[in-house]
Amino acid sequence: MSRSARPADEPVQDTARSAGLVALGAGIAAAAVGTAVVGGFVAAIARMVVTPDRKRTERVPIVAVDPVRKTVTLERTPDTELQGRYSLWFGGGTGHMRVGDVLGTTSTTVTRSIIAVDAGDPTSARRGRWGGWFYLTPGELDVPVEDIDVPTPNGPAPAWVVRADDPAAPWAVLVHGRGVTRAETIRAVPVFRAAGYSVLLASWRNDGVAPKSDDGRYGLGSTEWEDIDAALRWVDGQGATSVVLMGWSMGGAVVLQTLLRSSFARLVDGVVLESAVVDWHAVLKSQSQAMRLPRVVRKVAQRVLRTPVLHRLAGLKHPVDLRELDMVARADELTVPILLLHSDDDGFVPSSASHALAQARPDLVRLEVAHVARHTKLWNHDADWFDARILAWLTEVVRPQNATTAR
């Protein structure tokens, strides 16, 4: 029977072996496809981190506009229900209105006063884009404004200059954040003017105003600092001997890199940061959790950004190492006073890194915390609070330091 069974067993074994090879091959193919899919997803996440938005999306539903009562009713969100003054763009960015007080709320909507409609017909708008930058040009503040071009490595970058009456006045260089323009920084012009400063409102690469970089990608501060270095070179040419840098959101990361890398940082005797990116790891962790991304995806995406050759998957000309942009880890390299303004409910850039930096350098860093002002909207929510904190810091910290240095 064994002899008769053997021939019968052999094709069974061959079939099993063939089936096993087919299964193995299918498994390898599936793994390859899976790896390619995951790899493509990670590369997409890495690209998203460093790619400027080509189109600013209007996500806030506009429920109703009453032109007679001058009110607008919007979907209720943590941002739209905040008291204060804000901008609302509509019509694909062609329309703009300024809104004020909250007049009423329901469980799903908020009705606010309309301060002004600057462009477009809001009655036909169905969605809008909520924003913190309130003014469109510094001329709205009834101040003398110069339009200049700052020579940068990528070409001339437009800037606004608002000079103090005193030609020997110190300077403030204002640096906007990600996805916005220099108009974001106009909100700080009044307080610096009140403190006797001349002000330069800078633009930087890939912001839609300044020239693009070769790769058209954000360096998250690792490249943009060169444009603020150029702004410092410009004010140095104006005879500046004292400069305060102020940055919002990613503009904070740009300012901090300028401090560490610019040869003109010798002019800087103070820094103000509003809702600033102090550590990109904290930002990406928060955003990836909000997107429900696995931790490994975030980690690998960060590795893609910093690794030579792999960085090209994100469209970058040069790698971006987030470890070099971690100013909590590099806190001992800071040498000038810093005022941090941050809201604990920021919603985009966690305030945790600002708290950590203040704890790491209590000798240099003053942290002023809001609780319900959201991201880059501290002025909008409470302009008096915003102005008072900056003015007090300039008076109590920067001015005495300058007087000591002068002696």
Side-chain angles (χ1 to χ4, degrees):
M1 292 180 60
S2 61
R3 290 176 183 171
S4 62
R6 186 178 298 276
D9 287 346
E10 285 174 356
V12 172
Q13 291 170 354
D14 289 343
T15 302
R17 186 180 296 113
S18 298
L21 291 173
V22 170
L24 177 61
I28 292 172
V33 171
T35 300
V37 170
V38 172
F41 180 63
V42 169
I45 294 297
R47 281 195 301 272
M48 183 176 65
V49 172
V50 296
T51 303
D53 293 332
R54 290 188 176 91
K55 183 180 180 181
R56 296 187 176 105
T57 305
E58 295 174 348
R59 296 187 174 90
V60 179
I62 299 176
V63 178
V65 175
D66 188 331
V68 176
R69 296 182 178 180
K70 294 185 176 181
T71 63
V72 58
T73 300
L74 309 164
E75 179 183 66
R76 184 176 180 177
T77 71
D79 284 296
T80 62
E81 70 180 2
L82 274 180
Q83 287 288 2
R85 297 173 288 171
Y86 303 89
S87 278
L88 182 67
W89 283 264
F90 55 89
T94 61
H96 179 262
M97 74 170 80
R98 283 173 254 209
V99 301
D101 294 340
V102 173
L103 303 177
T105 61
T106 70
S107 60
T108 58
T109 66
V110 56
T111 299
R112 310 187 67 119
S113 65
I114 297 175
I115 297 173
V117 176
D118 301 294
D121 177 12
T123 61
S124 61
R126 296 295 173 263
R127 304 185 77 83
R129 177 168 53 86
W130 193 253
W133 41 302
F134 185 74
Y135 301 107
L136 302 181
T137 71
E140 296 171 29
L141 300 175
D142 195 26
V143 296
V145 183
E146 300 171 33
D147 288 290
I148 68 159
D149 287 324
V150 174
T152 74
N154 296 303
W160 288 311
V161 171
V162 179
R163 294 184 188 269
D165 294 333
D166 181 2
W171 282 82
V173 175
L174 309 184
V175 184
H176 69 78
R178 177 189 179 115
V180 293
T181 70
R182 55 188 167 152
E184 175 183 52
T185 70
I186 298 171
R187 292 169 290 179
V189 169
V191 65
F192 280 104
R193 290 267 297 169
Y197 281 72
S198 292
V199 185
L200 184 148
L201 297 80
S203 60
W204 46 259
R205 62 192 64 186
N206 304 314
D207 68 357
V209 178
K212 292 182 179 180
S213 60
D214 290 341
D215 59 8
R217 295 292 191 267
Y218 290 133
L220 306 181
S222 68
T223 55
E224 293 83 1
W225 73 269
E226 295 177 346
D227 299 338
I228 306 308
D229 169 71
L232 289 176
R233 182 184 298 111
W234 189 90
V235 298
D236 180 57
Q238 301 294 302
T241 58
S242 170
V243 178
V244 168
L245 292 175
M246 180 169 183
W248 285 253
S249 192
M250 177 177 150
V254 176
V255 163
L256 290 169
Q257 291 305 302
T258 304
L259 274 183
L260 297 183
R261 305 188 192 206
S262 172
S263 61
F264 292 95
R266 56 182 168 76
L267 298 175
V268 179
D269 48 26
V271 166
V272 182
L273 302 176
E274 208 258 73
S275 307
V277 178
V278 174
D279 172 15
W280 276 106
H281 294 106
V283 178
L284 297 186
K285 179 180 179 180
S286 173
Q287 290 300 304
S288 64
Q289 289 174 342
M291 296 170 64
R292 299 177 184 266
L293 295 178
R295 179 175 180 271
V296 66
V297 171
R298 170 172 55 88
K299 290 293 186 181
V300 176
Q302 291 174 194
R303 186 175 293 275
V304 167
L305 293 177
R306 72 171 181 258
T307 303
V309 180
L310 287 181
H311 72 278
R312 295 173 187 168
L313 295 173
L316 290 165
K317 184 176 181 180
H318 303 288
V320 175
D321 192 340
L322 301 187
R323 295 171 300 186
E324 294 181 357
L325 306 180
D326 182 351
M327 291 310 303
V328 177
R330 302 182 67 180
D332 60 342
E333 299 178 50
L334 297 171
T335 59
V336 301
I338 296 175
L339 173 63
L340 294 175
L341 306 173
H342 218 131
S343 184
D344 281 339
D345 72 336
D346 185 291
F348 186 79
V349 175
S351 63
S352 55
S354 289
H355 283 275
L357 183 59
Q359 292 169 2
R361 291 302 304 269
D363 57 321
L364 286 181
V365 178
R366 175 185 294 186
L367 174 62
E368 296 285 359
V369 177
H371 301 288
V372 292
R374 306 294 290 168
H375 182 60
T376 67
K377 299 178 180 69
L378 282 78
W379 177 91
N380 305 79
H381 179 61
D382 191 339
D384 290 340
W385 183 95
F386 179 92
D387 290 348
R389 266 59 183 180
I390 294 176
L391 189 58
W393 177 79
L394 292 172
T395 303
E396 298 166 9
V397 178
V398 178
R399 191 168 295 163
Q401 174 184 263
N402 290 345
T404 301
T405 303
R407 288 199 296 270

